Each structure stands twice: as structure tokens, then as C-alpha cells.
């Protein structure tokens, strides 16, 4: 009995199109290009989707998962809020703006989406240990998913991550390993580990299970379209670390058009990076097709990938759709966090600050059309990166519990 991957039929090379059986592989044997999941979709209707669960599993017929996936022990991520951000829109001079708030996921970042799909693949391939190289959020999403599914976890992070992310990744159990190095070094180490008897039987969600993992990001596109009443926005701003999320959100929108679930229309896709780790934005502005690796130095640690695997595809998509890739300083990241919190009551992690900062910059530069409908992604919770804004946060006054004291402190 072959494994059940629902509508997925093969892996295909993004560069040369070579096809492979669905398996725990991620690179083309001919050209070393990345492998992607290929589908043979049946008929999928809006009604069918709407009748599904309020999680990413309402889109199971568009994902490499078995039909019974909603009944498997997993964290049921997704179906997060699409918040109409009228106050922020007014402040920036935009006609219509939405925040897709993925801090509402089970481990408070968008990574629960991608891990849920990789978990199904791990199950299908008989892996008993779930693993990853992580910039922070992925580690917590993996240890939580493994706990719920009854699998072992062993996750790898740069040792200098934010404390809340270290706490989250360890509280669910499993093994958390800090590596003295950058994310890119952690990732290279994991690639070596897969080739060693120590790690060859492990499911690394973003390495040997990457084709499946990556498909999870499509659900952001599906949800945005469905929550807008089955239409596409005009513009979207997406954070870029490896570039996988942006690449797959684009794929998700194109699938909806192809399946006739939304009307075809142009959508401009914008990528957002921190200036301290902006290899893709630098290449975009220079007109290059090749992304030069950098050594990250930014408070936006969840986006601190200096050698982004999908960087060239992000460049292609931004150019093809009439978008752009832009970056903002750490100071502007903090301003972005504060702006979103102050206008909409949404407390974003640094990645969200990057997106809001880039949104503002693109509006000011006249690159984004203020009259067009815009969606921005908040991919993580501000409680995970408290230090970014903790410095200036303190009570306006500390007083005795008496009216007199209050009057004195706040007179005129
Ligand atoms: C991982 C992550 C992203 C996007 O990562 P990609 O590697 O580009 O897919 C965005 N925001 C947050 C908070 C993340 O943790
Ligand atoms: Zn190939």
C-alpha cells in the first residue's frame, strides 16, 4: 500500500522539471535544484472548503496530506484572523489595509503551518524523530508538534537566540541543542547530520522534508483569499528569511486562480527584510539575479538567514508581479512594532516590525499604491521578542494606592 499524500503525485525539480517519487528527498539528482510537490488536483469547490474545519485542514485537498489528516494528533494550526487595519491605514494614508495575524497560531508563529505538513510526511516515511535547524520559531513549533504526535524531537538553534524562544522550544520536551554559530552554520551542520548514521533516520522538517514543509505556507494565501470573500488582494507584503514563505504564498494564489476558486487578477508581491540581513533586498535593488550571502546582524533574528535558499525565486516573483524587496533598520523595526501595537492593538515580534516598517517605507517612496487593497503578514508574537521594545517600557509612575498620590503624580 503506497503512502497516501492526497492530491500530491510526485516531486518535481524547480529548475529542470525532472520528476521523482514522493519520498524524503529535497534536491534534484541531475541539477541539484530544489524539489517541489507536484499535484493532480481533483475538483475543489468553495463550498467543500467552507464545510471543513477551522484550521489549515479545510484545504487538505490542496496539500500533500491524506484525506483523514484532520483526525490525526496535530496542533490544528491556521485559520488565523485577517484584521481590517483601518487605524494603521489612516496613519499611513492607505485606502484599505489588512493584517493577517499569524501570531494566533498554537505556538504563536506561522511555523505551525509548515510543521503540520512536514509532520504528516514524517509519519508517512516512518521517521520517529522530528528535527530542524531553526532561527527560533521553528524549534518551538517542531517540539510542540512532536509532543502532540508522540514523536521524539531534536532541534538545533544558534545559541544566542531570544530567551522566550529558547524557553518555548524546551518546554515541550525533546532535545534542544544550541550551536555556537549563525543559523547558516546550524543549517549546514544539519545537512551533514542527515548524511551520518546519527541523523539519517530523522525527519528534518526544513531539510529532507522541505518540499512538504514548504507547502504549508500556501495556506496563508488560501486563507487570505477566502477571508476576503474569495478574492485576491492587490498588494501583499511578506517577510523574507529563506524566502520559502513568499515563494509559496505566490504559488498558493496561482493555484486558486488555476482552480477557478478566485478571479484572475494581478497581485504585486513585496518582500521585507531587516537591513542587518538583507541579501535579497540588496540583490533586488542592484538588479542582480544572484543573491550574495551575508553575515546577519539584526534584532530580527527570526529572519536572520544570510544565505537564503529561495532568494533567487523571491527576486523572480517580485520582478514578475511588479513588486519589490525592501529593507529597514533595526530602529525602524522597533518603530514598526510600536506603530502596529499603537494603532491596531496587535503586538508583533520583530519580523512583524520588519513588515510594517517596510510597508511604511514603500508607501513613503511611492512604490506601493495607496489606493490599492493591501495585506501585510504578521508572522509572530511580540511576547517572543520582548527585548526589542522592553527598554523604554515602564509604568508612567509608581505610586501608593491613594487618590492623593495619584493626584500629585498626574496633576495637570
Ligand atoms: C520563519 C519565519 C518567517 C519566514 O521564513 P522563510 O524562511 O522566508 O519562509 C517569517 N516570519 C517569522 C516570524 C518566521 O519565524
Ligand atoms: Zn533538476
Amino acid at each position: 500500500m503506497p503512502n497516501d499524500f492526497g492530491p500530491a503525485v510526485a516531486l518535481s525539480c524547480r529548475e529542470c522539471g525532472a520528476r521523482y517519487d514522493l519520498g524524503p528527498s529535497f534536491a534534484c539528482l541531475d541539477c541539484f535544484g530544489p524539489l517541489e510537490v507536484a499535484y493532480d488536483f481533483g475538483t475543489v469547490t468553495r463550498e467543500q472548503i467552507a464545510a471543513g474545519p477551522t484550521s489549515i485542514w479545510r484545504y487538505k485537498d490542496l496539500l500533500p496530506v491524506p484525506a483523514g489528516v484532520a483526525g490525526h494528533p496535530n496542533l490544528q494550526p491556521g485559520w488565523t484572523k485577517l484584521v481590517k487595519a483601518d487605524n494603521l491605514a489612516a496613519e499611513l494614508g492607505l485606502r484599505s489595509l489588512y493584517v493577517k495575524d499569524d501570531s494566533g497560531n498554537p505556538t504563536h508563529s506561522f511555523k505551525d503551518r509548515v510543521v503540520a505538513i512536514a509532520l504528516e510526511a514524517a509519519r508517512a516515511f516512518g521517521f520517529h524523530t522530528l528535527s530542524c535547524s531553526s532561527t527560533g520559531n521553528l524549534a518551538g513549533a517542531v517540539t510542540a508538534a512532536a509532543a502532540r504526535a508522540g514523536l521524539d524531537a531534536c532541534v538545533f538553534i544558534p545559541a544566542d537566540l531570544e530567551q522566550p524562544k529558547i524557553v518555548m522550544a524546551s518546554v515541550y520536551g525533546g532535545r534542544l541543542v544550541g550551536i555556537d554559530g549563525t543559523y547558516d552554520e546550524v543549517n549546514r551542520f544539519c545537512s551533514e547530520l542527515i548524511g551520518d548514521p546519527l541523523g539519517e533516520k530523522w525527519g528534518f522538517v526544513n531539510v529532507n522534508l522541505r518540499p512538504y514543509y514548504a507547502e504549508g505556507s500556501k495556506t496563508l494565501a488560501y486563507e487570505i483569499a477566502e477571508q476576503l470573500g474569495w478574492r485576491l488582494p492587490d498588494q501583499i507584503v511578506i517577510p523574507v528569511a529563506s524566502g520559502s514563505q513568499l515563494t509559496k504564498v505566490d504559488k498558493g494564489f496561482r493555484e486558486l486562480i488555476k482552480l477557478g476558486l478566485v478571479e484572475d487578477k494581478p497581485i504585486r508581491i513585496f518582500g521585507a527584510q531587516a537591513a542587518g540581513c538583507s541579501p535579497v533586498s540588496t540583490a533586488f535593488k542592484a538588479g542582480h539575479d544572484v543573491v550574495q550571502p551575508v553575515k546577519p546582524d539584526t534584532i530580527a533574528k527570526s529572519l536572520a538567514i544570510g544565505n537564503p535558499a529561495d532568494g533567487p525565486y523571491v527576486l523572480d516573483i517580485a520582478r514578475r508581479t511588479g513588486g519589490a524587496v525592501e529593507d529597514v533598520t533595526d530602529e525602524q523595526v522597533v518603530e514598526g512594532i510600536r506603530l502596529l501595537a499603537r494603532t491596531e492593538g496587535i503586538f508583533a515580534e520583530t519580523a512583524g516590525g520588519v513588515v510594517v516598517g517596510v510597508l511604511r517605507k514603500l508607501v513613503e517612496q511611492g512604490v506601493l499604491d495607496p489606493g490599492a487593497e493591501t495585506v501585510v503578514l504578521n508572522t509572530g508574537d511580540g511576547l517572543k521578542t520582548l527585548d526589542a521594545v522592553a527598554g523604554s517600557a515602564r509604568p508612567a509612575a509608581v505610586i501608593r494606592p491613594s487618590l492623593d498620590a495619584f493626584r500629585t503624580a498626574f496633576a495637570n
Side-chain angles (χ1 to χ4, degrees):
M1 170 86 188
N3 287 319
D4 181 0
F5 285 97
V9 292
L11 294 177
S12 79
C13 173
R14 183 147 182 155
E15 290 298 326
C16 75
R19 277 167 92 91
Y20 299 87
D21 288 343
L22 289 161
S25 39
F26 55 101
C28 178
L29 297 176
D30 292 336
C31 76
F32 304 108
L35 301 183
E36 272 198 313
V37 176
Y39 297 92
D40 184 2
F41 292 128
T43 310
V44 182
T45 66
R46 294 177 182 182
E47 292 70 29
Q48 200 177 315
I49 290 169
T54 50
S55 70
I56 59 171
W57 303 134
R58 66 203 282 108
Y59 309 106
K60 66 176 166 48
D61 296 328
L62 303 171
L63 297 167
V65 295
V69 64
H72 295 180
N74 66 73
L75 296 172
Q76 317 281 338
W79 203 243
T80 56
K81 287 176 187 147
L82 183 69
V83 180
K84 189 147 201 313
D86 289 339
N87 300 329
L88 180 55
E91 181 118 2
L92 298 177
L94 296 171
R95 183 181 63 79
S96 174
L97 177 66
Y98 293 85
V99 178
K100 177 63 171 166
D101 188 10
D102 247 19
S103 66
N105 273 309
T107 69
H108 306 273
S109 89
F110 109 97
K111 288 296 197 301
D112 294 315
R113 297 176 184 273
V114 285
V115 169
I117 311 293
L119 171 65
E120 287 305 313
R123 238 196 272 276
F125 301 135
F127 292 131
H128 299 292
T129 299
L130 216 52
S131 186
C132 68
S133 56
S134 170
T135 57
N137 287 317
L138 185 57
V142 164
T143 52
R148 172 117 181 93
L151 300 181
D152 295 329
C154 184
V155 298
F156 300 90
I157 55 169
D160 68 348
L161 279 189
E162 301 96 333
Q163 180 69 2
K165 288 181 184 165
I166 293 174
V167 172
M168 276 198 80
S170 48
V171 74
Y172 302 110
R175 260 180 298 167
L176 172 67
V177 181
I179 303 251
D180 193 10
T182 64
Y183 169 82
D184 298 281
E185 289 167 319
V186 175
N187 196 49
R188 200 177 325 125
F189 167 76
C190 284
S191 304
E192 279 174 40
L193 192 49
I194 282 180
D196 188 274
L198 266 173
E200 67 185 359
K201 296 251 159 53
W202 292 4
F204 288 78
V205 299
N206 56 338
V207 188
N208 57 347
L209 300 178
R210 190 172 181 86
Y212 308 89
Y213 160 98
E215 293 296 290
S217 288
K218 296 192 308 180
T219 59
L220 275 165
Y222 301 155
E223 288 180 20
I224 290 166
E226 184 176 359
Q227 288 169 323
L228 285 174
W230 289 111
R231 40 188 199 83
L232 302 181
D234 299 314
Q235 314 177 124
I236 184 165
V237 186
I238 303 173
V240 173
S242 72
S244 173
Q245 181 182 60
L246 185 145
T247 308
K248 297 301 172 172
V249 167
D250 170 64
K251 188 183 185 202
F253 285 138
R254 284 187 291 115
E255 285 175 352
L256 293 181
I257 294 168
K258 220 183 270 165
L259 288 161
L261 287 164
V262 297
E263 220 168 276
D264 192 358
K265 80 165 202 202
I267 162 163
R268 300 172 71 201
I269 299 183
F270 296 86
Q273 296 205 295
C277 182
S278 54
V280 187
S281 136
T282 301
F284 181 86
K285 292 185 214 172
H288 294 162
D289 298 328
V290 177
V291 175
Q292 283 298 337
V294 300
K295 185 150 198 286
D297 179 15
T298 169
I299 58 168
K301 296 187 186 211
S302 56
L303 303 182
I305 298 185
N307 188 11
D310 292 307
Y313 303 127
V314 169
L315 293 173
D316 286 348
I317 291 164
R319 288 176 179 140
R320 167 169 56 76
T321 64
V325 189
E326 189 48 272
D327 56 86
V328 284
T329 64
D330 283 357
E331 205 169 47
Q332 292 167 319
V333 172
V334 173
E335 282 168 18
I337 295 173
R338 291 187 183 290
L339 178 60
L340 182 62
R342 171 167 72 70
T343 53
E344 299 298 342
I346 297 172
F347 185 19
E349 79 143 86
T350 45
V354 167
V355 166
V356 173
V358 164
L359 169 72
R360 176 190 229 164
K361 188 166 175 181
L362 291 170
V363 173
E364 284 168 4
Q365 290 174 342
V367 176
L368 253 157
D369 176 359
E373 188 164 69
T374 306
V375 173
V376 297
L377 302 189
N378 173 38
T379 46
D381 192 319
L383 292 173
K384 293 190 177 213
T385 58
L386 276 178
D387 282 353
V389 287
S392 56
R394 60 184 60 85
V398 177
I399 59 169
R400 284 177 295 105
S402 81
L403 288 174
D404 261 358
F406 182 64
R407 227 175 264 125
T408 310
F410 291 95
N412 51 76

